Structure formats: C-alpha cells, structure tokens
Amino acid sequence: MRMNLFLLSAILLFAACSEDEDTVMKEISMKPNSEKPAWENAGTGNAQAENAFTASSTVGDVVSNPAFGDFGHLLFPVDRDVPRSMTLAALSSSSVYVWYSHIRAEKTVEIVNRLYNDAKAGNQIFYRMYSDAEIAADPSKAYTGLFLFRGATGMPFAITNAGGGFMYVGAMHDSFPHSLAISNAGYNAFALIYRPDDPYSDLAKAIEFIHDNADELGVKADDYSLWGGSAGARMSAVLGNEAYLRQLTGRTDIPQASAVIMQYTGYTQASQYDAPTYVCVGSNDGIASWRTMRNRLQRLSSMGIPTEFHVYDGLGHGFGIGTGTVADGWVNDALKFWQKNMKTNESAGISPVYAD
C-alpha cells in the first residue's frame, strides 16, 4: 500500500533541503544526433511572414512594439541590467546570460520574429497566470507569465523552464529555443517566466493554469512534459514528482507529467514518485557533474522508472539546444522519449542509456 503522498512529500522536501544544499551553493557560487522525428511535419506551418527584427534591432525596439503589448519586457531578464539601447546581437552574450554558452544572435532574432508574427496573425502569445486581485495583493506576480509557442491544436503541451541560478530567468537562451523546437515538432510549448525567489510556486501555478484552461488554450490536458536547464531542471524534477505536485498545487485532479526533460543540474533527490526522466549534460560542466546526474538516473531506473542519459564530450554548462555543438539534435531525442512515455501511447517505456 502506497505511503500517503502528502506525508511522503514532507519527508522528501526536508531531505532535499539538506542533501542538495551543497549542490545549490555550488551552483550559486558560480555566479559573476540530428535525425528528425517522424512527427515533425505535424507542426503548424508558422512560416515567418515578416522579419520585423534583425540582429541590429534593440531591446527597446522589441519591448515597445505593439505586438508585445505590456509584456514585452518579460522577453528579457528583468532581474538583470539590460539597457533598452542594447542590440539583439549584443544581448546574445554570456555577459547578459550568466553561466550560459553557445548563445546565438540568429536564434534570438528568430524567436522574437516568430512571436511577433504569431501575434500579428491574431494569436495570443502571452498569458498571465495570476488574476488582477492576486497581482494587487503581491505585485511581484506581475513579473510572471507564459509565452506560448503554438503547435497543433489538441496536441500535448510542454512547459519549459530556463535556468539562471535562481537569480534571473535566462529564457531567451534556455527555454524559448526549446519551446520553438517543440512547437515546430507539432506540440504546444509554454515558456515560463517565473520569480527567481519563488520558482516552485510559479511552476505549480502554471501547471494549474494550463490544466484548468486546456480547452481554451487548444492543448491536451494530460501527457504533458516539463523541461528545464540548470535551476529550471531542478524545478521540473520537483514538480514532476507526484508527491510534490500534489503538495505544491494542493490538488489531486492534475495528472503527473509524462516526462521530465533535464539539462545540467546537480539535483540528487530520487523517489518512486518521480516521472520518467531524460537527462543531457556536458562532460566538462563545472557546475553540474555528469556523474551526479547519471547516478540519480541509475537510482530511478532501479525503481523501474524509465530513464535516458546523454553526456556530450567537451561541452560545459548552459549549451541550450546545442546548435553547432556535439549536442545538436538532442531535442529530437528528448521528444521521442516524451512520446514513448505518454500514458496514452502503448509504446511507453525506454531502456536506460548510461555514459561509459
């Protein structure tokens, strides 16, 4: 007979605070295959109607564009000093996106143009999770929300969570590109802009919001996945755990994620209530050890939880979707893992893959 989930979650949460403390402090101390999936053609055909922005466009050009309403500033890190005069080329740098590498200006330009054209076509691209009353009671909640990269209507959704050491949200490199790739494969992807000092509450709220408004949003309510890099991967793992999901949402009607997709984090907690988990990390990551990530997956696998592990030779921390690196194409692998573990898919389950 399964232990009461709420009791278990309290035990796990206490353990997580102590066991992961060294790893979290290490992460904070660092501050200052190309095969296409078979379902890729199921996308929405969101060809760019207009290249409104270029690498020489400024942050101010984007933020002030009517297509981005009163939320354009949330496209960029609100907890970092990002001048409105900064060009998108200059923005796409590790000096802005601390801890990140392989940042590509052309991807930044592609993302803002994609969202611009979606909005211009009459599609809502941003959703507030909190009501006006909730924001009035806690103004910090105004700095949250979901950017939607639309796939096919009625398809499952993913929530992508950027890292940033719980200091800022590095969405332009660590969740927007992932969401774009997921939507191009036909699925719906919501990139979460969360508060670095209350990330788990905001992800729980996002899951609730999408579940409760699935029909209006045009997405399937179950078979969703949680994606994250670094701090965002830690968030995804916690809310992917069935016990934590119930504790943080206070609800039992929301299904557990079908898959958690994690990049470069030292999260170590593992329990029988964790979701099927895919991991990728670089062998030269000085923040998140590939051995630590592999060891956690080995523990999950021993409990019968499907896992898949990839370590990329020579890569460091924060490589994002890995364009132009040895990790290029990993998103397609992750999509296949998610698909195989959807509850409505009879082919659920995949053998673990471990590094040598």
Side-chain angles (χ1 to χ4, degrees):
M1 186 172 183
R2 287 169 61 140
M3 181 185 296
N4 180 280
L5 286 175
F6 290 100
L7 175 60
L8 175 65
S9 64
I11 295 171
L12 286 175
L13 189 58
F14 176 80
C17 290
S18 57
E19 185 174 337
D20 283 342
E21 182 176 358
D22 291 342
T23 301
V24 173
M25 292 307 296
K26 182 179 180 182
E27 291 177 356
I28 293 176
S29 72
M30 297 298 290
K31 290 181 179 181
N33 89 52
S34 62
E35 177 183 307
K36 293 184 178 181
W39 57 90
E40 186 173 82
N41 293 329
T44 59
N46 281 315
Q48 292 182 1
E50 178 185 349
N51 289 323
F53 306 102
T54 68
S56 61
S57 299
T58 66
V59 170
D61 292 336
V62 176
V63 171
S64 63
N65 192 288
F68 299 118
D70 63 352
F71 54 83
H73 61 292
L74 295 178
L75 289 164
F76 309 103
V78 297
D79 297 294
R80 300 281 291 154
D81 182 17
V82 181
R84 295 290 180 97
S85 60
M86 180 176 282
T87 66
L88 297 184
L91 172 83
S92 306
S93 164
S94 297
S95 64
V96 174
Y97 294 95
V98 184
W99 305 300
Y100 287 108
S101 60
H102 302 90
I103 304 168
R104 304 173 74 94
E106 62 267 31
K107 182 58 66 174
T108 301
V109 172
E110 181 184 3
I111 287 164
V112 294
N113 278 318
R114 161 64 186 272
L115 290 171
Y116 168 82
N117 282 296
D118 280 1
K120 187 178 177 182
N123 296 314
Q124 187 169 346
I125 61 172
F126 181 76
Y127 293 85
R128 300 278 181 192
M129 307 179 301
Y130 294 105
S131 68
D132 291 343
E134 289 173 312
I135 292 173
D138 183 353
S140 71
K141 291 178 178 177
Y143 296 96
T144 69
L146 293 160
F147 283 95
L148 172 56
F149 291 73
R150 294 180 184 276
T153 301
M155 290 289 280
F157 69 89
I159 301 177
T160 60
N161 304 281
F166 296 123
M167 182 183 78
Y168 76 104
V169 180
M172 193 60 76
H173 177 65
D174 208 33
S175 65
F176 288 163
H178 303 63
S179 292
L180 179 61
I182 293 166
S183 70
N184 286 341
Y187 297 101
N188 298 284
F190 295 87
L192 174 64
I193 307 301
Y194 59 88
R195 293 166 295 168
D197 59 354
D198 202 0
Y200 301 103
S201 295
D202 289 340
L203 179 52
K205 182 68 173 183
I207 294 171
E208 286 187 82
F209 176 83
I210 299 170
H211 177 271
D212 291 344
N213 297 281
D215 290 342
E216 293 82 354
L217 293 167
V219 304
K220 185 178 179 182
D222 53 7
D223 277 333
Y224 67 94
S225 59
L226 300 176
W227 299 53
S230 199
R234 188 177 293 268
M235 293 163 58
S236 298
V238 169
L239 269 297
N241 179 287
E242 186 179 9
Y244 284 146
L245 175 68
R246 292 191 178 186
Q247 175 184 315
L248 291 168
T249 62
R251 295 172 56 170
T252 60
D253 60 317
I254 299 175
Q256 182 180 21
S258 291
V260 167
I261 312 299
M262 303 177 67
Q263 292 184 273
Y264 34 74
T265 189
Y267 184 74
T268 58
Q269 290 302 300
S271 87
Q272 62 181 312
Y273 298 107
D274 283 319
T277 303
Y278 174 103
V279 159
C280 66
V281 63
S283 65
N284 288 353
D285 195 320
I287 298 177
S289 165
W290 67 267
R291 293 178 179 85
T292 297
M293 299 194 78
R294 182 193 62 179
N295 290 345
R296 177 173 181 264
L297 287 200
Q298 288 174 329
R299 292 165 63 195
L300 293 179
S301 181
S302 70
M303 301 174 197
I305 297 171
T307 66
E308 185 172 329
F309 178 77
H310 297 267
V311 58
Y312 298 109
D313 188 42
L315 277 187
H317 195 73
F319 55 82
I321 60 173
T323 303
T325 74
V326 294
D328 203 346
W330 78 263
V331 171
N332 290 337
D333 293 334
L335 285 168
K336 292 175 183 177
F337 179 82
W338 175 23
Q339 186 186 48
K340 289 180 180 179
N341 286 285
M342 290 180 182
K343 304 300 187 294
T344 55
N345 190 318
E346 294 181 357
S347 64
I350 187 170
S351 300
V353 178
Y354 297 125
D356 294 331

